[in-house]
Amino acid sequence: MATEVVQDAAMNRFELLVDGQQAGIADYILRDDTIVFVHTEIDPAYRGQGLGDEIARGALNLVRAETDLRVVTRCPFITQWIAEHPDYQDLLTR
């Protein structure tokens, strides 16, 4: 199973692709110098495979690598994921 996280800037979302098929999304809103994660969802057909971890890590890695934006979490899943992964907490304060 090959996974990839890509950004769809026109839709304000990151998409998780599994073998080329969309398996999940992480929606966001851009505000000034922040990216606000508002909703994350894995397609029911793909649940239970650890793919929430994949989309969270992939989306945050893209934010880190390609922007200077500070992350704000309004999505409970992304909030919990960052709390459990201290190496991503710097994104909350930069």
Side-chain angles (χ1 to χ4, degrees):
M1 170 172 71
T3 63
E4 177 184 18
V5 175
V6 297
Q7 184 175 16
D8 182 345
M11 295 294 292
N12 282 2
R13 69 171 42 161
F14 292 94
E15 298 177 350
L16 173 67
L17 305 178
V18 174
D19 296 327
Q21 299 297 313
Q22 184 184 42
I25 58 165
D27 292 322
Y28 63 83
I29 299 167
L30 291 175
R31 287 196 188 136
D32 301 320
D33 63 344
T34 64
I35 183 167
V36 183
F37 283 90
V38 294
H39 177 74
T40 304
E41 183 176 342
I42 299 296
D43 185 294
Y46 292 94
R47 290 188 184 152
Q49 300 177 45
L51 296 175
D53 187 63
E54 293 285 326
I55 195 166
R57 178 177 282 109
L60 293 170
N61 282 344
L62 286 170
V63 170
R64 176 177 276 146
E66 298 179 4
T67 76
D68 292 324
L69 297 173
R70 182 174 62 91
V71 171
V72 173
T73 59
R74 296 291 178 254
C75 167
F77 180 80
I78 298 291
T79 300
Q80 182 66 33
W81 195 91
I82 291 175
E84 293 173 358
H85 296 85
D87 49 322
Y88 285 86
Q89 291 177 6
D90 66 298
L91 292 171
L92 302 174
T93 58
R94 62 174 171 162

